[in-house]
Amino acid sequence: MLTLPALLLASIAVSASPIQQKRSAAVIPLPARTVHRRDHGFNLDAAKRDRARVHAKYDGKNDSRAFNSTVAQPIEERAEYNPAPYDIQRRTSSGHEPLVDVFDTIDLVYYGPLSIGKPAQSTTIDFDTGSSDLWLPLSTCSGCFGPLFNSSSSSTYKVSSTPFTIQYAEGSSATGKVATDKVMVAGLSVTKQGFGAVTRETGFLLDGPSAGIMGLGFTANAQSGATPFFINLVNQGCLASNVFSFYLSRGGSSGSELCLGCTNSAKYTGCITYYPLDPSATGGTQYYWNIKSGGFSYDGGPSSGAFSAIVDSGTTAIYIPTAAAKKFYASITGAKNASSTVGDGFYTYPCSTSLKSITISFGNTKYAINPIDFNLGPVSECVFTDIKIFTGLTTVPSEQGIVFMREDIDGNLAVIGDEFMKNWYSVFDYGAKSVGFAKAI
């Protein structure tokens, strides 16, 4: 049998109004989706949709960014370091709202609650570090899944004539207008948050109960032109520290969370080590939370080759450049490119293969990935599937595995998704322009 690996390859004012409030932090619980069926088998359709979403997020970006003239913020070149952002465990009242993991196997996307409008209406969103737009479906939306936002019931809703569109490679899309309204997450609010007010969705836009997406990336990558919610919170000066962090559980366990303005030392062990962002991979402008990586290695062997790694909470698997994936899988006994048998972008390996250590390096440190998270499940009675990064990698423990592949992203970029983040508590430091990791509990 084969297994599939998890390593894959405006005319409206949208700035936030200043709000006087004391500095704070909040924790949001997160549920998750999976690429497994209920019988624990590999869900190829879900994996292909994940691949299409990654394709849409990162392919051809150099052409589509012309609309945004945001000036790149200079990034200080420095070695890894260990600053100390605000730890939520130090306060007696944290406004803690853990994320919920909906499925009982490998998790695809984590989501949580959001309220919008006046009076506030509740909905759910994916928290996505790989994109920069907030978008939500309106109650008038055709083909949309809820909870839907009834804009006519909000006294603070304002819509512009600026179109908003997201188009995915497999034909799914969301369209509407850019609008503003009051948005709140775990008690933290922005009064005039710009977002995509979606009135039509087609295809399998989202795989799960979340209604929309909140991008946690940088303004230069916002298709709406709106400043992202988290950056608005930073600009308002209302956060205890200008960071957010993720703890992602696996296998249906509770406890997944997003900590806004904070870290949570109850969710990791040891120290958090930080790495500076790498704007050189994207022409000097910071679009993503990407950092330099020395690449993947198997069983202590040679590196797959260096790349710039986007740490992406909105992507399930891991996607790496084609050449790196080929070199990595050459080290696994029986691994094969399964593009012609399973689908473009996949590798498989025999179910009888006992996986050894799988690591990715940042700075001078190698970060291990649990073989459980490298395995997306069997594609047949004796085949497991792995997903790889844009011609990258994805794996499955035991049996055989498959990997997800496709053409490379510009700039030698890789996408490091939830299969990595479940192993390592991940901190995104906007103030220091860095990403940090510590061993997740």
Side-chain angles (χ1 to χ4, degrees):
M1 176 184 266
L2 298 177
T3 13
L4 183 63
L7 203 56
L8 309 176
L9 291 178
S11 57
I12 185 171
V14 293
S15 60
S17 297
I19 295 178
Q20 297 298 321
Q21 59 186 101
K22 71 176 183 179
R23 291 179 176 269
S24 57
V27 181
I28 304 96
L30 300 173
R33 297 199 300 266
T34 178
V35 295
H36 284 81
R37 302 189 304 269
R38 287 295 182 181
D39 61 4
H40 293 196
F42 174 64
N43 188 331
L44 181 59
D45 289 340
K48 286 183 175 179
R49 289 195 295 271
D50 185 62
R51 171 185 176 278
R53 280 188 288 266
V54 173
H55 180 192
K57 282 166 84 169
Y58 299 109
D59 266 18
K61 284 293 188 181
N62 291 336
D63 296 329
S64 63
R65 287 175 182 147
F67 72 88
N68 196 312
S69 59
T70 302
V71 177
Q73 299 191 23
I75 305 297
E76 177 187 352
E77 290 292 337
R78 58 189 179 279
E80 55 202 69
Y81 65 110
N82 298 78
Y86 181 72
D87 182 357
I88 201 74
Q89 293 299 316
R90 296 176 185 170
R91 65 183 289 179
T92 56
S93 176
S94 68
H96 193 92
E97 286 187 75
L99 300 175
V100 181
D101 184 349
V102 175
F103 296 94
D104 61 353
T105 55
I106 294 177
D107 308 298
L108 180 59
V109 177
Y110 295 78
Y111 68 92
L114 171 147
S115 63
I116 182 171
K118 184 178 181 180
Q121 300 175 43
S122 297
T123 186
T124 55
I125 50 169
D126 289 343
F127 292 98
D128 179 15
T129 61
S131 65
S132 300
D133 289 286
L134 169 64
W135 64 264
L136 295 165
L138 303 184
S139 57
T140 56
C141 186
S142 172
C144 299
F145 294 93
L148 304 176
F149 171 47
N150 187 348
S151 59
S152 63
S153 297
S154 173
S155 62
T156 49
Y157 175 80
K158 295 186 182 300
V159 65
S160 75
S161 59
T162 303
F164 177 79
T165 301
I166 293 177
Q167 180 72 50
Y168 289 145
E170 90 290 15
S172 297
S173 65
T175 57
K177 301 287 186 181
V178 176
T180 62
D181 208 337
K182 180 179 180 179
V183 172
M184 180 180 294
V185 176
L188 300 171
S189 65
V190 174
T191 55
K192 292 183 179 180
Q193 176 62 51
F195 69 101
V198 174
T199 54
R200 178 174 172 79
E201 291 180 15
T202 61
F204 294 96
L205 197 60
L206 294 172
D207 287 315
S210 62
I213 289 176
M214 174 176 279
L216 296 170
F218 291 84
T219 306
N221 194 39
Q223 296 184 47
S224 64
T227 301
F229 178 78
F230 178 77
I231 296 177
N232 275 330
L233 293 179
V234 170
N235 293 340
Q236 291 174 179
C238 65
L239 296 172
S241 56
N242 294 331
V243 307
F244 61 89
S245 54
F246 279 92
Y247 171 76
L248 304 182
S249 64
R250 66 168 61 84
S253 299
S254 61
S256 297
E257 68 176 36
L258 165 62
C259 200
L260 286 172
C262 52
T263 60
N264 185 352
S265 58
K267 297 295 187 179
Y268 64 87
T269 60
C271 296
I272 302 170
T273 300
Y274 291 80
Y275 304 93
L277 297 182
D278 177 27
S280 66
T282 51
T285 299
Q286 200 66 60
Y287 297 105
Y288 313 117
W289 291 97
N290 59 295
I291 56 179
K292 293 180 179 179
S293 170
F296 280 89
S297 63
Y298 179 73
D299 192 25
S303 167
S304 63
F307 45 71
S308 190
I310 301 169
V311 186
D312 184 357
S313 64
T315 292
T316 307
I318 299 169
Y319 299 77
I320 61 176
T322 303
K326 183 177 181 180
K327 189 171 182 179
F328 174 83
Y329 280 104
S331 300
I332 300 178
T333 302
K336 296 179 179 180
N337 185 325
S339 295
S340 62
T341 55
V342 178
D344 184 28
F346 291 91
Y347 274 86
T348 60
Y349 61 87
C351 301
S352 58
T353 298
S354 178
L355 289 179
K356 299 179 181 179
S357 67
I358 299 163
T359 61
I360 181 174
S361 65
F362 296 108
N364 297 320
T365 304
K366 290 187 175 182
Y367 292 84
I369 298 176
N370 191 321
I372 292 175
D373 299 317
F374 192 70
N375 186 335
L376 296 184
V379 292
S380 65
E381 291 184 358
C382 188
V383 178
F384 280 112
T385 309
D386 283 357
I387 302 179
K388 86 169 189 158
I389 241 183
F390 287 96
T391 63
L393 85 138
T394 294
T395 59
V396 186
S398 62
E399 310 277 359
Q400 301 170 335
I402 301 175
V403 175
F404 193 88
M405 295 180 57
R406 58 160 283 96
E407 62 272 14
D408 296 344
I409 311 173
D410 291 342
N412 195 37
L413 291 167
V415 182
I416 309 301
D418 299 341
E419 303 303 349
F420 170 83
M421 293 176 67
K422 285 186 286 188
N423 293 268
W424 297 94
Y425 189 84
S426 301
V427 185
F428 300 79
D429 191 330
Y430 183 78
K433 298 298 185 294
S434 61
V435 177
F437 306 114
K439 183 62 179 175
I441 60 170

